[in-house]
Amino acid sequence: MSATQNGASDRRKAEGPGAVKQPRGAEGAIKKVGVIGAGVMGAGIAAHCANAGVPVVLLDIVPGGAERAVQTMLRADPAPFMQRSAARLVTPGNLETDLALLADCDWICEAIVERLDAKQALYAKLEAVRKRGSIVSSNTSTIPLGALVGGAGEGFARDFLITHFFNPPRYMRLLEVVQGPQTRADAVAAITAFADRSLGKTVIPCKDRPGFIANRIGGQWMQSAINNAFAMGLTIEEADALMSRPIGVPKTGVFGLLDLVGIDLMTHVAASMKATLPADDAYVLGLREHPLIMRLIKEGRTGRKGGKGGFYTRSRDASGASVKYAIDLATGEDRPEKKARLESLEQRDLRKLAEHPDRGGQYMRAVLLDLLSYAAALVPEIADSVADVDAAMRLGYNWKWGPFELIDKVGAAWLAEALRADGRPLPPLLAQIGAGSFYRTEAGVLEYYGTDGAYRPVPRAPGVLLLSDIKRRSQPIAKNSGASLWDVGDGVVCLEFHSKMNALDPDILAMIGKAIAMGKKGAFKALVIHNEGENFSVGANIGLALFAANIAAWGEIEGMIEQGQKAMAALRAAPFPVVGAPSGMALGGGCEVLLHCAAVQAHAETYIGLVEVGVGLIPGWGGCTTMLRRWAENPRAPKGPMPPVAKAFEMISTAQVAKSAFEAKEMLILRATDGITMNRDRLLADAKARALAMVEGYAAPEAAKPLRLPGATGRAALSMAVQQQVLMGRATPHDVVVCEHLANTLTGGKKDHTDEITDDEVMELERQSFMALLKTPGTLARVEHMLETGRPLRN
């Protein structure tokens, strides 16, 4: 591909209606990016810059390597690209022949092999082609910045810094930035602003120390967890159960995490740390070479990437069923996985768990003492504040709590006493804080404990508005067990869901009604629907429906459907702007809430879809109706009554979920006019700004014109398509029943293709189909299976 293929024409094609507009200001200084090294990290960084709508040059030393990397990423799951068209913004090339393609790049990010000589040789070549004032950075995680710029000219050193991304670059929100004594401030500002607003990263400034923040602490934690598991005779299931939920770590725990990232990676990181850290550093002192781990690496059992498994493997038993196996740390033999059963795991209080006398409690105590004392000893060596360290661990390793937040959970005084009891040194920062806490809320402001002994506010980037901060300093306008209303300023109110997994229940629906009623009375100018949970909403609370169905309380279910339809209709007809601001999953009823908002400002990582068929149902709160209308009114879609029906049927019957906000636009779940925010921390502020911009002159939308649907002929066509899926083994008998009801709803029920049908009439068909399916044999079993396993039942 030539450089001209990455020009304005291709950029416009790739951007499309859902693209992120390039921002103004410091971040706008970066209009083109070069990435050198098309390995997993380099290619991922290039893809994510393309996600931001920026042209990228991707070069690799291997002939054809960059082209293959782009094609591989287009097939990958999870996908590095937020939409397939973003790949058009990447110009692949060869490092030896296409270096000149970097001449007009504003930022060149190097992500080649972790060898100092190779990096310095590359930098010398870059000096001959890069433009004046361009920024150069390295994605290194092990080589100090001082060494990287050693021997380089002063001009290069001024333009150079380290930008350490985490894998995968699209999904991990942390970017560690290291600047040298000569790095110019405006270069740091430009990278920080671009990474924040365009790439959606939280930028954490780090000291030029080995491993920076996250890998220094995370690596030591993994090492301690593994060493103590071997020493104390734990199973890997027990270790992973303890090193996950109890300390706010993802469910992979530690052995599962190693399988995920690659067991061999740990040995490479350990070797690097040993070579660069002082011999008396706790990380180095804890290094162990476990024969079992070395055997696994030698056998190619390096985890999921190797295809042979690692600590965990899967294989088929005699019946053909998939069975998960776990390796026995004592014998080195594989055995069927077994659930961890320890009394200590029943403890919900972390300190009590660590004080429990069983081996689980002893293990937790040992790992916590290693981890927390090490983290406390590293401030201010690796970072200026405990807040930066905690943020790095939350965003780089997906921990729920950073190490200093964990110290507050167990108590700094408890930790100090435990260290003294074991005869271990007390880090100065821990001795200094005494019985205090590293975080406190003062006058409604979250503060952290500084190394100087003073508390100061946890910093927020300019323009960031967090609901959690608002909640610390105010009381809700209204609240029930499922939702609350918060004043977010300037006449805008935020509706927050806070049920389990933000599943929609009668309390949330009631709060929607209350919010609309208050807005009609002039209590506020605009409403934003937003929360800071892991997911916007996983849909309606099907557990309530299951309970009611099991006792034949059909009237209760009818009432909930009616309540939901009224709530959605109220959102749609509100005489003031209602803006949905989702992040994470917005499924089923959560998707329907967004479909009825006047506008949506979505986080880029929002996964939206109508998935009710997974439990043998169809959308009942207007999802079918709205998707029909979106496709019927799409100017680029084929005309006639059948095309919108076919498209909506395809999406809903197969439970399609958009895997980004960009994909949601392609599927018309989001409109072309809806906005996308790359940085989740900026979502509420962006949604509020959108709502305020809509206030002047806003009026409730007029009633939509009736639709013309294909009726019986359309149902016959859809039935033929479903039967074809049955013949191919892709649809079960129960799927056929669900699809019949869905087809009846989408084609207008008893209406003929010459008849007009209103949205209210289609919603009534939704209600009838939902109730009929709920009473269909097999549906309740599907609902129950989904609640128990989180997966649809396929039979």
Side-chain angles (χ1 to χ4, degrees):
M1 184 183 290
S2 68
T4 57
Q5 286 179 287
N6 208 20
S9 173
D10 272 352
R11 183 174 180 179
R12 283 193 295 271
K13 291 177 185 175
E15 286 175 347
V20 174
K21 293 182 179 178
Q22 276 304 291
R24 300 174 182 175
E27 68 274 18
I30 296 175
K31 299 181 178 65
K32 187 173 182 179
V33 175
V35 179
I36 306 176
V40 172
M41 286 303 298
I45 294 167
H48 197 48
C49 290
N51 289 334
V54 176
V56 185
V57 174
L58 176 62
L59 303 182
D60 196 66
I61 189 66
V62 179
E67 289 89 343
R68 287 192 294 273
V70 172
Q71 293 305 311
T72 298
M73 290 191 293
L74 283 170
R75 298 189 299 269
D77 187 16
F81 291 112
M82 290 181 172
Q83 56 183 343
R84 292 182 65 84
S85 60
R88 299 179 199 153
L89 288 174
V90 181
T91 300
N94 182 262
L95 184 57
E96 296 298 326
T97 59
D98 298 319
L99 202 63
L101 293 177
L102 301 173
D104 60 345
C105 289
D106 304 297
W107 171 30
I108 302 170
C109 180
E110 167 268 305
I112 67 171
V113 62
E114 287 288 86
R115 275 180 31 211
L116 179 60
D117 60 334
K119 292 179 185 290
Q120 289 182 332
L122 173 62
Y123 300 158
K125 293 179 180 178
L126 289 180
E127 281 292 76
V129 298
R130 74 184 184 97
K131 68 180 180 180
R132 181 183 180 86
S134 61
I135 302 167
V136 181
S137 72
S138 175
N139 187 56
T140 184
S141 60
T142 59
I143 303 176
L145 184 146
L148 291 171
V149 297
E154 182 179 341
F156 183 84
R158 283 173 48 79
D159 294 337
F160 187 83
L161 64 160
I162 289 173
T163 52
H164 181 221
F165 288 81
F166 283 71
N167 192 31
R170 167 184 165 181
Y171 299 96
M172 302 305 293
R173 294 175 59 200
L174 174 64
L175 180 67
E176 293 180 321
V177 170
V178 180
Q179 65 181 95
Q182 294 174 282
T183 307
R184 53 189 173 89
D186 58 339
V188 178
I191 290 294
T192 298
F194 179 73
D196 173 354
R197 293 182 178 272
S198 297
L199 301 183
K201 303 301 178 187
T202 295
V203 178
I204 300 294
C206 306
K207 304 292 184 67
D208 191 14
R209 299 291 186 272
F212 312 131
I213 298 175
N215 282 346
R216 179 84 173 267
I217 292 174
Q220 190 267 354
W221 162 72
M222 287 191 287
Q223 179 177 278
S224 172
I226 291 166
N227 290 345
N228 282 295
F230 274 102
M232 296 183 178
L234 270 75
T235 67
I236 63 172
E237 298 97 326
E238 290 171 340
D240 283 347
L242 288 158
M243 291 294 105
S244 52
R245 182 198 56 78
I247 59 171
V249 167
K251 62 182 180 182
T252 51
V254 61
F255 289 100
L257 176 61
L258 281 172
D259 275 357
L260 181 64
V261 301
I263 297 172
D264 54 334
L265 179 63
M266 182 182 178
T267 60
H268 295 318
V269 172
S272 174
M273 290 299 185
K274 186 175 182 179
T276 53
L277 288 172
D280 61 350
D281 187 272
Y283 197 129
V284 177
L285 293 174
L287 289 174
R288 302 285 185 274
E289 190 173 279
H290 297 284
L292 174 58
I293 293 178
M294 302 313 295
R295 190 199 90 193
L296 291 176
I297 294 172
K298 184 177 181 181
E299 293 174 354
R301 284 183 54 172
T302 54
R304 300 183 193 180
K305 67 177 183 179
K308 296 182 179 179
F311 293 106
Y312 294 98
T313 57
R314 279 195 178 274
S315 63
R316 300 280 179 184
D317 63 13
S319 67
S322 177
V323 178
K324 189 174 183 180
Y325 291 85
I327 202 164
D328 189 303
L329 295 182
T331 67
E333 300 297 322
D334 292 318
R335 51 158 179 75
E337 182 188 34
K338 54 188 178 184
K339 185 177 176 63
R341 300 191 183 282
L342 295 165
E343 283 189 10
S344 52
L345 280 170
E346 298 174 7
Q347 296 290 338
R348 292 294 177 262
D349 180 272
L350 183 57
R351 186 197 299 186
K352 290 180 179 178
L353 196 165
E355 291 173 339
H356 197 281
D358 73 5
R359 66 177 181 274
Q362 295 173 42
Y363 175 74
M364 178 63 78
R365 181 182 186 277
V367 176
L368 282 181
L369 263 58
D370 284 347
L371 166 65
L372 302 183
S373 64
Y374 191 60
L378 290 177
V379 177
E381 178 194 340
I382 62 172
D384 287 328
S385 73
V386 301
D388 282 347
V389 170
D390 282 346
M393 297 314 300
R394 290 194 308 269
L395 300 171
Y397 274 65
N398 266 341
W399 289 8
K400 187 175 182 180
W401 308 294
F404 294 96
E405 291 166 311
L406 286 172
I407 291 176
D408 280 356
K409 283 187 169 297
V410 298
W414 177 90
L415 177 61
E417 182 56 35
L419 290 170
R420 292 191 192 97
D422 285 10
R424 298 171 61 166
L426 200 62
L429 188 60
L430 198 58
Q432 178 179 305
I433 200 169
S437 63
F438 283 101
Y439 293 92
R440 72 178 189 184
T441 298
E442 191 73 14
V445 177
L446 181 65
E447 298 180 335
Y448 71 92
Y449 183 80
T451 54
D452 59 356
Y455 284 93
R456 47 185 51 83
V458 173
R460 307 295 188 208
V464 166
L465 178 65
L466 298 181
L467 185 59
S468 54
D469 285 343
I470 292 168
K471 291 166 67 174
R472 286 189 187 94
R473 60 176 183 259
S474 62
Q475 295 296 318
I477 299 170
K479 181 177 182 179
N480 62 28
S481 63
S484 298
L485 295 176
W486 298 92
D487 183 350
V488 295
D490 301 310
V492 179
V493 164
C494 177
L495 169 59
E496 177 199 23
F497 305 155
H498 45 67
S499 60
K500 184 178 181 181
M501 299 183 74
N502 293 326
L504 303 178
D505 58 19
D507 283 330
I508 290 179
L509 299 176
M511 189 58 71
I512 291 174
K514 185 178 183 67
I516 299 300
M518 291 174 62
K520 286 180 176 179
K521 294 178 180 178
F524 49 82
K525 298 177 183 177
L527 179 69
V528 171
I529 305 178
H530 170 74
N531 64 73
E532 292 175 351
E534 184 177 347
N535 297 304
F536 177 75
S537 173
V538 296
N541 188 334
I542 57 175
L544 290 177
L546 176 65
F547 176 78
N550 278 327
I551 60 173
W554 304 113
E556 293 294 322
I557 301 173
E558 289 268 15
M560 188 172 174
I561 297 174
E562 182 181 0
Q563 185 186 17
Q565 288 195 345
K566 286 182 176 179
M568 302 305 151
L571 287 175
R572 185 175 65 248
F576 50 85
V578 178
V579 176
S583 58
M585 291 190 291
L587 305 178
C591 176
E592 287 174 301
V593 168
L594 299 174
L595 290 174
H596 290 88
C597 290
V600 175
Q601 184 73 33
H603 181 226
E605 297 296 351
T606 303
Y607 317 115
I608 321 177
L610 297 168
V611 297
E612 287 85 351
V613 296
V615 291
L617 299 168
I618 71 166
W621 289 342
C624 298
T625 309
T626 308
M627 290 315 303
L628 266 179
R629 184 161 292 283
R630 292 270 173 97
W631 283 103
E633 296 176 351
N634 179 20
R636 293 180 294 172
K639 303 305 177 186
M642 194 60 195
V645 170
K647 196 65 183 179
F649 183 83
E650 177 190 0
M651 288 175 54
I652 298 170
S653 67
T654 57
Q656 290 181 14
V657 175
K659 294 181 179 179
S660 72
F662 295 96
E663 281 194 7
K665 286 199 170 193
E666 294 172 353
M667 297 167 63
L668 304 192
I669 295 174
L670 296 183
R671 291 157 292 213
T673 54
D674 288 331
I676 298 175
T677 297
M678 294 295 281
N679 192 323
R680 185 169 179 169
D681 287 348
R682 296 188 176 277
L683 182 57
L684 179 56
D686 287 353
K688 176 185 172 183
R690 176 172 283 265
L692 286 171
M694 296 170 66
V695 168
E696 187 175 351
Y698 186 83
E702 296 179 1
K705 295 180 180 179
L707 294 166
R708 288 189 185 274
L709 300 176
T713 56
R715 284 194 293 281
L718 296 178
S719 178
M720 289 175 61
V722 172
Q723 289 304 319
Q724 186 65 30
Q725 295 299 307
V726 172
L727 292 174
M728 296 171 67
R730 296 176 180 172
T732 68
H734 197 275
D735 292 333
V736 174
V737 175
V738 176
C739 287
E740 286 174 352
H741 282 280
L742 177 61
N744 184 66
T745 298
L746 294 175
T747 57
K750 295 180 180 180
K751 295 277 187 177
D752 188 72
H753 69 279
T754 61
D755 297 329
E756 292 185 336
I757 186 168
T758 66
D759 285 6
D760 287 344
E761 288 175 306
V762 180
M763 287 184 72
E764 172 58 20
L765 290 172
E766 288 187 38
R767 184 197 65 78
Q768 292 173 11
S769 292
F770 187 95
M771 290 302 302
L773 284 168
L774 198 57
K775 296 176 182 179
T776 298
T779 298
L780 296 186
R782 280 165 167 73
V783 174
E784 194 165 358
H785 185 269
M786 176 64 81
L787 288 171
E788 290 177 354
T789 68
R791 299 187 302 274
L793 180 64
R794 303 301 302 163
N795 60 37

